[in-house]
Amino acid sequence: MKFHNISQNRLLPWLLAGAIISLAFLLYFLTMAPGLTWAHQGADGGDLATAVAVGGVPHPPGFPTYILLGKAFSFLLPFEDIAFRLNIMSAFFGALTVGLVFLLTRTILIISWGRNPNLEVIRLAASFIAAASLACGPLLWSQSVLTEVYTLNSALFALIVLLGLRWWMQFREPPR
């Protein structure tokens, strides 16, 4: 396989991001807490689970996006208790963060190095290493296996930065 063929495949980075998200989710799901836990400074899990279950507001600042998405996850996953479903939600958003960091790293390398097709394999490998390091690092992993708001926040932050850089790239490069 020629490296030039890899750089012409526009779908490959998205497929790799999907595979990375799947692997990270599997890792987090297999190591996830079965319910509420105090591990990894997970002190807000009960408060958040109760707010999602009754449609209430947890302690300030209230986390409205988390509560609404938690309610959606609780309807989409009608098994086990609410804490288990929210743990799955944390695992999902943690895995999504990892995939977004893969795409974000690749975008930053395109901005830094240009669109040289000969460098695509190096960009993809470096992006994979960055994403895998984040996925297996203790901070994101610890928050992806219990009911907490941090993985949703990290996924939203990574998405906003990625979209901002992609938007900025449109004005930086001449049209094709």
Side-chain angles (χ1 to χ4, degrees):
M1 177 189 305
K2 292 182 179 179
F3 290 142
H4 187 67
N5 291 344
I6 289 175
S7 67
Q8 289 179 343
N9 188 350
R10 295 182 186 271
L11 196 57
L12 182 63
W14 295 98
L15 292 174
L16 287 174
I20 290 168
I21 290 169
S22 300
L23 289 172
F25 181 77
L26 182 65
L27 173 71
Y28 298 150
F29 183 79
L30 293 175
T31 59
M32 186 176 68
L36 290 177
T37 181
W38 288 87
H40 311 296
Q41 289 78 39
D44 295 337
D47 192 16
L48 294 168
T50 303
V52 168
V54 301
V57 178
H59 64 281
F63 310 110
T65 306
Y66 183 89
I67 300 303
L68 291 173
L69 288 172
K71 199 65 158 171
F73 263 79
S74 68
F75 284 126
L76 293 174
L77 306 172
F79 53 86
E80 295 290 332
D81 62 359
I82 192 82
F84 183 76
R85 294 180 224 166
L86 293 177
N87 289 349
I88 291 175
M89 186 173 98
S90 290
F92 171 77
F93 284 115
L96 183 61
T97 299
V98 172
L100 289 170
V101 164
F102 171 80
L103 294 171
L104 183 57
T105 304
R106 182 176 173 272
T107 301
I108 291 170
L109 293 176
I110 288 171
I111 291 169
S112 300
W113 299 348
R115 290 195 179 269
N116 185 346
N118 297 327
L119 298 176
E120 182 63 13
V121 173
I122 296 171
R123 278 194 294 265
L124 292 174
S127 300
F128 176 80
I129 290 169
S133 298
L134 178 65
C136 297
L139 184 59
L140 186 64
W141 193 342
S142 71
Q143 298 304 303
S144 296
V145 296
L146 52 88
T147 301
E148 270 298 342
V149 298
Y150 301 113
T151 59
L152 172 61
N153 293 344
S154 65
L156 290 174
F157 179 78
L159 179 63
I160 289 168
V161 172
L162 177 63
L163 291 175
L165 283 177
R166 301 293 290 187
W167 176 76
W168 178 74
M169 284 174 61
Q170 289 179 355
F171 300 106
R172 186 172 175 259
E173 296 177 353
R176 295 178 192 206

